[in-house]
Amino acid sequence: MTLQLTMQSSELSSDELRSLEDMRTRCAKNILLSTSLAGSGHPGGSLSTLDNLLVTYGCMRHDASDPGMDERDRVIMSIGHVSPGVYATLAEYGYFKEDDFLTGFRRTGSGFPGHVERIVPGVEWDTGNLGQGLSTAVGLAHGFKIQNKPNRVICFMGDGEQQKGQIIEAIRFASKYKLDNLIVVIDRNHLQICGTTEEVMPQSVRSLYSTNNWDVQYLEDGHDQNAYFQTFSKAYRKSDGQPTVIVSRTTMGKGISFMENIAKYHGSPLDREAIGKAMTELGVEDEFEKWDALRQNPVDTSTIQSYKGPAVDIKAGETIVYDAKTILDNRSAYGNALLSLAEANNSGSDMRIAGISCDLEGSVKMGGFHKHSPAAYIEAGIQEHHAATMAGGLASLGLVTFFSTFGAFAVSEVYNQNRLNDFNHASVKVVATHVGLDVGEDGPTHQCIDYLGLFQNYFRSSVFMPADPNQTDHIIRYVATTPGNVFVGMGRSKMKMICKEDGSPFFDENYSFAAGKGDWLRRGHDATIISYGAVTPMVMEAWDMLIDAGHSVAILNMGSLLPIDKEAVLEAAECGVVLTVEDHHVETGLGSMVGTILAEAGKGITFRRSGVSQYGGSGKPADLYASQGLDGKSIAAKIVDMLS
Amino acid sequence: MTLQLTMQSSELSSDELRSLEDMRTRCAKNILLSTSLAGSGHPGGSLSTLDNLLVTYGCMRHDASDPGMDERDRVIMSIGHVSPGVYATLAEYGYFKEDDFLTGFRRTGSGFPGHVERIVPGVEWDTGNLGQGLSTAVGLAHGFKIQNKPNRVICFMGDGEQQKGQIIEAIRFASKYKLDNLIVVIDRNHLQICGTTEEVMPQSVRSLYSTNNWDVQYLEDGHDQNAYFQTFSKAYRKSDGQPTVIVSRTTMGKGISFMENIAKYHGSPLDREAIGKAMTELGVEDEFEKWDALRQNPVDTSTIQSYKGPAVDIKAGETIVYDAKTILDNRSAYGNALLSLAEANNSGSDMRIAGISCDLEGSVKMGGFHKHSPAAYIEAGIQEHHAATMAGGLASLGLVTFFSTFGAFAVSEVYNQNRLNDFNHASVKVVATHVGLDVGEDGPTHQCIDYLGLFQNYFRSSVFMPADPNQTDHIIRYVATTPGNVFVGMGRSKMKMICKEDGSPFFDENYSFAAGKGDWLRRGHDATIISYGAVTPMVMEAWDMLIDAGHSVAILNMGSLLPIDKEAVLEAAECGVVLTVEDHHVETGLGSMVGTILAEAGKGITFRRSGVSQYGGSGKPADLYASQGLDGKSIAAKIVDMLS
C-alpha cells in the first residue's frame, strides 16, 4: 500500500510527515546511487525537486497497478533530466522495483533512460529538450476541458528553462482558455549550468505568469512539505478559471551539505568517496559496491512497458467525389472533409476530433469545422511552437487532432516540436496548406520545400501528399481513422481533377488510399515519371505532349511518400528510364529516396531528378514552376532528352 | 535630394511636415497600386506603418547612393509582409525608381518580392517568418557595441507577432546587454488576420517590454508625425543603457476610409473599382491601366543588387597537431582552435571573432575564448531561437561568429532560424558538440542525428564533420577564414587520432582541408567504406579486422559532406562494392547522398548503408553503436557479407 495523503485535511498529519521523511531519505539515496553507478546524470536538480514530487504523488489521483487508468491525473516533467528523482519517486509509489531502476539507470536497453521516457511505467511523456513540457501539459489540460473530464494536470519545470520563448506562448494560451485544471510547479533554485539564473539571463519568473493572469503562489521554503501540501491541495481543488503556478524556492542538492547550491551538481554525479560521505549524512548504509556488482548482470527489462496509444473510434464519413469538371484547391477539399468528419464524430458534448490553427483559420479552411464544433476548435495565435507541442498533448488523450497552418510554420518552424511528438507516438495530424512553389508571390520564406527532408528524420511519422482534391478527401479520412503521427501537405492553388484516360476522376469512390502504395496514373513502356502533389497536373500535361510525340510514358503518383512504395519504384525502373518530379527541394525529397532505392537494388539505369534547385522567387506559381523546369513543357523535354 | 529631417529640432517644421504629407500620398498610392496590380500582397499593414517608416528614414543615417556604407544605421523589418510600404518609402528616399517597383512587384525575377529581401537596395535583411526580426536587430545592435561603433538599429514589428515566444528571448537579451542603440517600433493596430489581437491571443504588449526593463514609449496617435519624430529622435540620441520600444497606436488601412480597421486588408488588395475610389480619396490620378500595361513588358531588373557580405580579414593562426598518442575529444580541439583564433585576431578593442553559447560554455569548450575575449563572448541563456538568429545579425557585420551548443539545440531546435540565416548569406559558423549516438546516456532527445538531413534543405550552407581532433583543428581554421554559413558537428567522447599506415597522424601539418574534398585514409581494391565523424575510428577498427581476414578495403573519409566529393564517390564505386557508415539517421545522411550519386551515374553496384536506424537508447556510446551495427565488428561483418 503506497502513501495517499488526505487532501481534505488542512495540514499533513505527523504520520504522513514521517512517511514522507522516510521516503525522502530512500529517494535521496537512490538518486545519488543511481547517478554515481551510471557515472553520469543529474543529481542536483533531482534533490531540489524531490520534496514537491513526493507530496504531489501523495495527493493526486493515480494507481500504480493501472498506470493507464483513464481517471488518472497527469504529471509532465518538463525537466526531463531529473529522471533519478522521478524514478525514485515512482518506485516509492509502487510503479516498479527500485532494484530495476538502480541496476538499469542509463544502461542501453534497460528501460530507465537518462531523460524521462514513457517506456517507464508512470511516466506520461518523453521529455529532455527544455521548454516544451508546459505546452504538452496545456494540451492535456485543454483536452480534458474539451472532453468534460475532471482530471488534473501537473507540470514540473525548472527556473532556467523559463528563459525559453515557447513557455510564454503556453502561459498565454492557458490563460486565454482558463485552464484551472493545470498546476505548474517551478523548482526555483536560482541555479543553471553556467551560474545563477540572474547572471545567465535576468528575468522575473513570477511576473512572467502574473502579467498573464495566472494565480501565482510563492513558497519561501519549497522543501517545507506541509506548506507545499497546503498550497498544492488548494490549487488542486479550485475551479476559478485561473491556472496556478507554484514557485517553489528550493536548494539545488538539498540535504547533502557539500552539494547544496553548487551548480556543477546539475549534471555531475558524486565520486566514490563523496558517495560514502553522503550516505553518512543521510544515515543510511553505503551500498555502492552491492549495486555496482548487480549492474554487471544482464539487465532485467521486465518493467519496460511498450506504449499503447488510446483507443480511438472514428467514423470516416461519406467520401466526397468532385467531378471531372470541378476546379478546386486541395485546401477546400480538406476543409470539406474535416467538416464531414466533425459531422460524423462530434456531437453534443462528445468531441472526438479537434482542430488547431494559428491565426490562419480562413486560409487553412477550418471555418466549417469551427462553426460545427466550436468547443473543439482551437485558435492558438501566432504561437506555432506551443501549438505543435500542445497538439501532441491533445492527441494523446484520444482526441484526433488536426494541426493546420502554412507549411513553413507547420514544418520548418516547429521541426523539434514535431520531433518530440514523434518520440511520443502522439498521433498528431499535421495538415499544412501553402506548401511548395505553389505558394507563389509570398516568396521563399513562405515556400515550404522541405517537408519530406524534415519528416524523413523521424522514425514514426508518415508523409502523404494529395495530387488533387479527390485524393485529398481520401487521405484526410484515412489519417483521421488511422493512428499515428502524419504530415499531409498541399499547395495553395485551385486545380483540375486528375482523371483516367476515359476522362473520369482517377481518385473516385472506388479508390482506396493506402500508406506505402503508389498509383499508376498512366501506363507506358519507354520511361516512367514518378511524382506527387502539386506538380502531378504538370506531369499529366507532359504526358499529353509525349504521347503526341510518340513516346509511351508511365506516370507513378506517390500519394504516400513515407512509407514509400519500393516495389512500384523497382517496377518503374524496369523500363530503364526514370525521372522524378516534385515541388520540393531536389536534394531531400522523392528524388533522393528513389535514387537510393535504385542504388541499393543495384539498378544501373537512366535516372534523373527534377525539383526545386534554388530558393523560389516571388511570382505566379506557373512562372515559378517554369523558372525551375517544373512546367509540363520542361518535363516533357527532359524525358525526350533522356530517351535520346 | 531626398528628405533629411533636422534631428536637432524640438519639432518638425511646416516645410518638413508638408514634404512628409506629399510623400505619404505618393506612397499610399503606390502601396495600393502595387498590390492591386500584382493581385496579392499586404496593403493594410503597409498603410498602418507608413507614417513611422517615412519619418524614420528622414531621421536616420543612410545614403541611397551608397546603400552599403559602413556608417549607415540599420532597419530590420520583422514584418516582412509590409513590403509595399517599405519599397514605396525606399523609392521616395532615392534607392530606386518607383517605376521598377510598380512594374516589378511580386513578379518572378523582378527583384521586388512579396516579403522584403536584401536583393532590393536599402533592404538589410530577408524576413517573412514573424518573430525573428528582433533577434536579428539585437544581433546587429550588440555587434555594433562589440565593434565600438555608434550606428543605430531600428526594428519594425507588428503587434500580432508579439505572440511569438522568440520575441521575449530577444527582449531579455537586449536588456541584459544594455542595448541602448536599439529602437523597436511596434505597429499597434490591434488587428491580426483572424480578428483583434485581444480576441486571438490576449496579452499586454507594453508590459512584455517594461517588465524586462526597456524604455517603453506609447504614442496614442502613431500617425502624428511630429509626435513620432519627437519620441524617435529622443530615443535615437540616448545612451542610458536601456533599449527603447515605441508602441505606436495606428490604424490598419490608415487614410482610405473603407479600409480602416478592416482585418481582411491585412492580406487582400483592392479590386479595380475600389482602387478608383481610393485614388479619389487620395486626390490623385487613377493610373491603374497605365501601370498594368507597363507590367506586360519585360521586367527591368537593373535595380536588383547582388548581395556581397562584408570583407573579413582573419588570420588562421598556427595549426595545432596532436601526436598519435594523444587521446582527446574534438570539443577540446575546437576550444583550443578557437582560443588560438582569438589570440591571432582579437586584440584590445578590435574584435574580429565572436562566440555565442547557451548556458553550456563548459560543455562546448568556449571557456578559453571567453577568458581571452570577454567582450566578444556572449552568453545567451537557454534561448536558442534568439541566439541562432542573433548570430546572423552579428555575422553580417563582419564579425566571424561561432554559435555553439549541443547538436539537438543548434540544429534541430532552430532549423527555421538557421534557414533564415541561409537566405541572408549570413555567414554564421554553427559548431555543435554532442552530436550523434556518441552523446550516450543523455538519450534520444539529446542525440542529434539529423544535421545532414536538415542542412541539406538549405541551398547556401556547408556541412563539415571532423573525424578526429587534428581534422577539427584544420576545419575550424578553415571555416573562420572562409565566408559562408557552415555547420561543423562533433561528438562528446575522447578518441584516438586517425593515423596513416605508418602510425603518424593523418591530418598533420601538411594536411589541407578543402570543401568538397574527401580523404582516402586507406586504399584497397575489394570494397570501399565511406564514412565521417565519430564512427571513422570504428571503420578503422573494421579495416584492421578485414586486412587480417585477407580483404583489401579502401576507406574514404568525408570531412566535407556539403558539398560532397562526387568524383571520389564515383572512384569508390569502381571496385563494385560500397558501404556507407555514419552516426546519423540512415535515411537522411551520407548514405542517401551516395546512393543518389550512384543512381544518377547509372552505376549498378553492390551498395549498402549503415547508420542510425531507430532512436538511440540511453547508455554508453560503445553499447549504442553496437546496438545499431556501427561498431568495428559489425562493420567488418557487413563488408564480408557484401563480398560473399
Side-chain angles (χ1 to χ4, degrees):
Chain A
M1 187 59 191
T2 62
L3 182 69
Q4 179 70 52
L5 301 172
T6 315
M7 287 277 274
Q8 291 72 25
S9 307
S10 61
E11 58 179 12
L12 292 171
S13 70
S14 54
D15 278 358
E16 287 173 334
L17 282 167
R18 203 171 313 114
S19 295
L20 285 166
E21 200 181 318
D22 291 348
M23 289 166 82
R24 192 196 199 281
T25 301
R26 286 192 299 270
C27 286
K29 173 185 147 188
N30 288 341
I31 287 167
L32 297 173
L33 273 180
S34 64
T35 47
S36 291
L37 288 162
S40 68
H42 300 84
S46 293
L47 290 171
S48 176
T49 198
L50 178 59
D51 290 302
N52 297 161
L53 266 174
L54 284 171
V55 175
T56 299
Y57 276 88
C59 292
M60 64 183 241
R61 187 165 187 175
H62 70 122
D63 180 353
S65 69
D66 185 8
M69 172 177 82
D70 270 353
E71 298 76 15
R72 75 195 188 277
D73 296 325
R74 305 294 202 276
V75 172
I76 298 295
M77 298 301 305
S78 192
I79 35 176
H81 60 275
V82 301
S83 55
V86 175
Y87 301 156
T89 299
L90 290 172
E92 286 295 325
Y93 280 96
Y95 283 85
F96 43 78
K97 294 173 288 176
E98 69 170 21
D99 305 37
D100 293 347
F101 158 42
L102 289 175
T103 56
F105 184 57
R106 286 182 166 241
R107 278 182 65 157
T108 306
S110 73
F112 289 95
H115 288 78
V116 300
E117 296 182 26
R118 57 201 302 192
I119 53 170
V120 179
V123 172
E124 298 284 355
W125 204 253
D126 294 20
T127 53
N129 294 168
L130 295 173
Q132 293 197 31
L134 181 57
S135 294
T136 306
V138 164
L140 291 165
H142 191 46
F144 287 131
K145 291 275 184 191
I146 291 173
Q147 295 178 327
N148 297 300
K149 289 184 178 169
N151 311 48
R152 261 47 186 168
V153 181
I154 302 110
C155 180
F156 280 86
M157 304 179 81
D159 52 357
E161 76 169 318
Q162 301 300 317
Q163 291 155 14
K164 289 288 290 178
Q166 185 175 335
I167 287 175
I168 196 170
E169 297 181 357
I171 288 173
R172 275 189 214 111
F173 184 95
S175 176
K176 175 184 174 189
Y177 282 95
K178 303 186 188 307
L179 303 180
D180 51 17
N181 54 349
L182 173 66
I183 304 172
V184 167
V185 183
I186 298 179
D187 186 39
R188 186 75 169 117
N189 57 32
H190 288 270
L191 283 181
Q192 56 190 115
I193 295 175
C194 290
T196 67
T197 51
E198 288 67 29
E199 287 161 353
V200 175
M201 191 52 63
Q203 71 166 321
S204 162
V205 169
R206 277 176 271 173
S207 77
L208 193 62
Y209 292 81
S210 61
T211 55
N212 287 288
N213 300 315
W214 281 51
D215 180 356
V216 180
Q217 298 292 327
Y218 182 67
L219 295 180
E220 284 193 36
D221 178 5
H223 301 290
D224 178 339
Q225 287 167 324
N226 203 40
Y228 179 80
F229 168 79
Q230 290 171 324
T231 305
F232 180 87
S233 56
K234 198 174 149 203
Y236 189 93
R237 282 191 299 263
K238 79 199 191 92
S239 57
D240 60 357
Q242 268 192 314
T244 303
V245 58
I246 303 175
V247 180
S248 181
R249 179 67 175 92
T250 57
T251 302
M252 181 172 281
K254 177 70 180 178
I256 307 299
S257 61
F258 54 89
M259 291 179 77
E260 291 191 357
N261 290 314
I262 307 295
K264 84 160 178 168
Y265 289 115
H266 164 86
S268 300
L270 298 182
D271 61 24
R272 182 66 194 89
E273 191 189 337
I275 274 285
K277 282 189 205 161
M279 294 301 137
T280 305
E281 287 200 13
L282 289 171
V284 298
E285 206 183 325
D286 181 348
E287 298 181 333
F288 185 89
E289 271 70 31
K290 169 188 153 188
W291 291 107
D292 196 36
L294 286 168
R295 276 176 74 91
Q296 309 312 315
N297 297 333
V299 177
D300 173 11
T301 57
S302 61
T303 57
I304 300 179
Q305 63 178 3
S306 80
Y307 171 74
K308 285 189 205 72
V312 177
D313 179 23
I314 295 292
K315 297 182 194 73
E318 197 77 30
T319 301
I320 300 171
V321 179
Y322 302 96
D323 69 27
K325 286 178 204 146
T326 308
I327 306 283
L328 195 73
D329 47 341
N330 286 336
R331 292 184 288 156
S332 293
Y334 163 53
N336 295 342
L338 194 61
L339 174 58
S340 152
L341 285 162
E343 288 167 348
N345 297 282
N346 290 352
S347 68
S349 66
D350 181 17
M351 296 286 134
R352 308 283 179 93
I353 299 195
I356 305 173
S357 178
C358 295
D359 198 26
L360 286 170
E361 177 184 331
S363 301
V364 302
K365 306 293 183 189
M366 276 195 163
F369 176 84
H370 184 178
K371 203 169 166 191
H372 179 275
S373 301
Y377 173 75
I378 300 165
E379 170 55 77
I382 309 176
Q383 305 190 142
E384 292 88 3
H385 291 108
H386 166 67
T389 306
M390 171 177 68
L394 283 158
S396 73
L397 295 179
L399 271 168
V400 174
T401 302
F402 286 83
F403 169 44
S404 287
T405 178
F406 291 180
F409 315 137
V411 181
S412 321
E413 175 76 351
V414 298
Y415 170 80
N416 208 35
Q417 283 64 30
N418 290 338
R419 177 170 167 259
L420 205 64
N421 285 335
D422 191 71
F423 282 138
N424 279 288
H425 304 264
S427 203
V428 174
K429 317 302 174 186
V430 180
V431 181
T433 65
H434 295 68
V435 157
L437 295 184
D438 188 56
V439 167
E441 289 89 342
D442 273 347
T445 56
H446 283 54
Q447 289 158 3
C448 176
I449 53 168
D450 48 20
Y451 43 94
L452 256 178
L454 298 189
F455 270 81
Q456 278 190 84
N457 292 292
Y458 309 140
F459 288 103
R460 299 163 183 164
S461 291
S462 303
V463 172
F464 304 143
M465 297 289 298
D468 77 357
N470 281 319
Q471 196 176 24
T472 301
D473 189 84
H474 284 278
I475 288 177
I476 295 301
R477 290 173 203 277
Y478 177 90
V479 304
T481 52
T482 311
N485 287 293
V486 65
F487 171 79
V488 181
M490 50 195 72
R492 182 181 182 281
S493 309
K494 286 185 164 52
M495 50 166 57
K496 291 191 286 189
M497 300 302 132
I498 302 290
C499 290
K500 300 174 190 170
E501 288 193 65
D502 70 7
S504 67
F506 187 93
F507 304 105
D508 58 15
E509 61 276 13
N510 300 314
Y511 172 74
S512 170
F513 177 81
K517 183 83 182 53
D519 296 300
W520 293 93
L521 302 183
R522 295 291 184 271
R523 291 283 182 172
H525 46 73
D526 293 339
T528 304
I529 303 176
I530 312 181
S531 181
Y532 62 91
V535 290
T536 297
M538 270 82 88
V539 171
M540 300 292 277
E541 274 177 45
W543 189 86
D544 288 338
M545 298 174 201
L546 289 163
I547 278 285
D548 291 346
H551 299 294
S552 166
V553 176
I555 302 177
L556 175 58
N557 183 67
M558 293 297 198
S560 171
L561 280 303
L562 273 182
I564 194 166
D565 189 339
K566 285 193 189 186
E567 287 69 36
V569 170
L570 294 175
E571 191 184 338
E574 279 168 26
C575 67
V577 177
V578 169
L579 173 70
T580 57
V581 181
E582 58 193 319
D583 185 1
H584 190 282
H585 194 304
V586 69
E587 296 294 344
T588 59
L590 172 70
S592 68
M593 295 171 84
V594 169
T596 304
I597 291 168
L598 296 175
E600 284 198 322
K603 300 277 181 199
I605 64 164
T606 302
F607 167 65
R608 285 200 211 157
R609 298 172 294 156
S610 276
V612 180
S613 54
Q614 57 175 302
Y615 287 120
S618 165
K620 296 195 185 313
D623 293 343
L624 296 181
Y625 284 132
S627 74
Q628 304 230 17
L630 295 170
D631 56 316
K633 211 167 147 185
S634 301
I635 296 165
K638 271 175 209 162
I639 289 289
V640 170
D641 186 52
M642 290 169 80
L643 289 173
S644 68
Chain B
M1 188 58 190
T2 62
L3 182 68
Q4 179 71 50
L5 301 172
T6 315
M7 287 276 273
Q8 290 72 25
S9 308
S10 60
E11 58 180 12
L12 293 171
S13 69
S14 54
D15 278 358
E16 288 173 333
L17 282 167
R18 205 171 312 114
S19 296
L20 285 167
E21 200 182 318
D22 292 347
M23 290 165 82
R24 192 193 200 283
T25 301
R26 286 193 297 271
C27 286
K29 172 184 148 190
N30 288 341
I31 286 167
L32 296 173
L33 273 180
S34 63
T35 47
S36 292
L37 288 162
S40 69
H42 301 82
S46 294
L47 291 170
S48 176
T49 199
L50 178 59
D51 290 302
N52 296 161
L53 266 174
L54 283 171
V55 175
T56 299
Y57 276 89
C59 292
M60 62 184 243
R61 186 161 187 178
H62 69 122
D63 181 352
S65 69
D66 185 7
M69 170 177 84
D70 270 353
E71 297 77 14
R72 74 195 188 277
D73 297 323
R74 305 293 202 278
V75 172
I76 299 295
M77 298 301 305
S78 191
I79 34 176
H81 61 275
V82 302
S83 56
V86 175
Y87 301 156
T89 300
L90 290 172
E92 284 296 324
Y93 279 97
Y95 282 85
F96 43 77
K97 293 173 287 175
E98 68 170 22
D99 306 36
D100 294 346
F101 158 43
L102 288 174
T103 55
F105 185 57
R106 286 183 165 241
R107 279 183 66 158
T108 307
S110 72
F112 289 95
H115 288 78
V116 299
E117 296 182 26
R118 56 203 303 192
I119 53 170
V120 179
V123 173
E124 297 284 353
W125 205 253
D126 295 19
T127 53
N129 295 168
L130 295 173
Q132 293 197 30
L134 181 57
S135 295
T136 306
V138 164
L140 291 165
H142 192 46
F144 286 132
K145 291 275 183 191
I146 291 173
Q147 295 177 330
N148 298 301
K149 289 184 179 171
N151 311 49
R152 261 51 183 162
V153 182
I154 303 109
C155 181
F156 280 87
M157 304 178 82
D159 52 359
E161 78 169 318
Q162 301 300 317
Q163 292 156 14
K164 289 288 290 177
Q166 185 174 336
I167 287 176
I168 196 170
E169 296 181 355
I171 289 172
R172 274 188 214 112
F173 185 95
S175 176
K176 175 184 174 189
Y177 282 95
K178 303 187 188 308
L179 303 181
D180 52 17
N181 54 349
L182 172 65
I183 303 171
V184 167
V185 183
I186 298 179
D187 186 38
R188 187 74 170 118
N189 57 33
H190 287 270
L191 282 181
Q192 55 190 116
I193 294 175
C194 289
T196 67
T197 51
E198 288 68 28
E199 288 160 352
V200 175
M201 190 52 62
Q203 72 167 320
S204 161
V205 169
R206 277 176 271 173
S207 77
L208 192 64
Y209 293 81
S210 61
T211 55
N212 287 290
N213 300 314
W214 280 53
D215 180 356
V216 180
Q217 298 291 328
Y218 182 66
L219 295 179
E220 283 191 38
D221 178 5
H223 301 290
D224 177 340
Q225 287 167 324
N226 203 38
Y228 179 80
F229 167 80
Q230 290 171 325
T231 305
F232 181 87
S233 57
K234 198 174 150 204
Y236 188 94
R237 280 191 301 263
K238 81 201 190 93
S239 57
D240 60 358
Q242 267 193 316
T244 303
V245 57
I246 303 174
V247 180
S248 181
R249 180 65 177 94
T250 56
T251 302
M252 182 172 282
K254 177 70 182 177
I256 307 300
S257 62
F258 54 89
M259 291 178 76
E260 290 192 358
N261 290 313
I262 308 295
K264 84 160 178 168
Y265 289 116
H266 165 84
S268 300
L270 298 182
D271 62 23
R272 182 65 194 90
E273 191 188 337
I275 274 284
K277 282 190 203 161
M279 295 300 137
T280 304
E281 286 200 14
L282 289 170
V284 298
E285 205 183 326
D286 181 349
E287 298 181 334
F288 185 88
E289 271 70 32
K290 169 187 154 189
W291 291 107
D292 195 37
L294 286 169
R295 276 175 75 91
Q296 310 311 316
N297 297 332
V299 177
D300 173 10
T301 57
S302 61
T303 56
I304 300 178
Q305 64 179 1
S306 78
Y307 172 73
K308 285 189 204 75
V312 177
D313 178 22
I314 296 291
K315 296 180 195 75
E318 197 78 29
T319 301
I320 299 171
V321 179
Y322 302 97
D323 68 29
K325 287 177 204 147
T326 308
I327 307 284
L328 195 71
D329 48 341
N330 286 336
R331 293 184 287 155
S332 293
Y334 163 51
N336 295 342
L338 194 60
L339 174 58
S340 152
L341 285 162
E343 288 168 347
N345 297 282
N346 290 353
S347 69
S349 65
D350 181 17
M351 296 285 134
R352 307 284 178 93
I353 299 196
I356 306 173
S357 178
C358 295
D359 197 27
L360 286 170
E361 176 185 331
S363 301
V364 303
K365 307 294 183 189
M366 275 195 165
F369 176 83
H370 184 178
K371 203 169 165 192
H372 179 276
S373 300
Y377 173 74
I378 300 165
E379 171 54 77
I382 309 177
Q383 305 189 143
E384 292 88 2
H385 291 109
H386 166 67
T389 306
M390 170 177 69
L394 282 158
S396 73
L397 295 180
L399 272 167
V400 174
T401 302
F402 286 83
F403 168 45
S404 287
T405 179
F406 291 180
F409 315 136
V411 181
S412 321
E413 176 76 352
V414 298
Y415 170 78
N416 207 35
Q417 284 64 30
N418 289 339
R419 178 171 166 259
L420 205 64
N421 284 336
D422 191 71
F423 281 138
N424 280 289
H425 304 263
S427 202
V428 175
K429 318 302 175 186
V430 181
V431 181
T433 65
H434 295 69
V435 157
L437 296 183
D438 188 56
V439 166
E441 289 88 344
D442 273 347
T445 56
H446 284 55
Q447 289 158 2
C448 175
I449 53 167
D450 49 20
Y451 44 92
L452 256 177
L454 298 189
F455 270 82
Q456 279 190 83
N457 292 293
Y458 310 139
F459 288 103
R460 298 163 184 165
S461 291
S462 302
V463 172
F464 304 143
M465 297 290 297
D468 77 357
N470 281 319
Q471 197 177 23
T472 301
D473 189 85
H474 284 279
I475 287 177
I476 295 300
R477 291 174 203 277
Y478 177 89
V479 305
T481 53
T482 311
N485 287 293
V486 64
F487 171 79
V488 181
M490 50 196 71
R492 182 182 181 281
S493 310
K494 287 186 164 51
M495 51 165 57
K496 291 192 286 190
M497 300 301 130
I498 303 290
C499 289
K500 301 174 191 169
E501 289 192 65
D502 69 8
S504 66
F506 187 92
F507 303 104
D508 59 14
E509 61 276 11
N510 300 313
Y511 172 73
S512 171
F513 177 81
K517 183 83 181 51
D519 296 300
W520 293 92
L521 301 184
R522 295 290 184 270
R523 292 282 183 174
H525 46 73
D526 294 338
T528 304
I529 304 175
I530 312 182
S531 181
Y532 62 91
V535 290
T536 296
M538 270 83 88
V539 171
M540 300 293 278
E541 275 177 46
W543 189 87
D544 288 338
M545 298 174 200
L546 288 164
I547 277 285
D548 290 346
H551 300 294
S552 166
V553 176
I555 302 177
L556 174 59
N557 183 68
M558 293 296 198
S560 171
L561 280 305
L562 273 182
I564 194 166
D565 188 340
K566 286 193 190 185
E567 286 70 34
V569 170
L570 294 175
E571 191 184 338
E574 278 168 25
C575 66
V577 178
V578 169
L579 173 69
T580 56
V581 181
E582 58 193 318
D583 185 2
H584 190 281
H585 194 303
V586 69
E587 296 294 344
T588 59
L590 172 70
S592 68
M593 296 172 82
V594 170
T596 304
I597 291 168
L598 296 175
E600 284 196 323
K603 300 278 181 198
I605 65 164
T606 302
F607 168 64
R608 286 201 210 154
R609 299 172 293 155
S610 276
V612 180
S613 55
Q614 57 175 300
Y615 287 120
S618 164
K620 294 195 188 310
D623 294 342
L624 296 181
Y625 284 132
S627 73
Q628 305 229 18
L630 295 170
D631 56 315
K633 212 168 147 185
S634 302
I635 296 165
K638 270 175 210 163
I639 288 290
V640 170
D641 185 52
M642 290 170 79
L643 288 173
S644 69

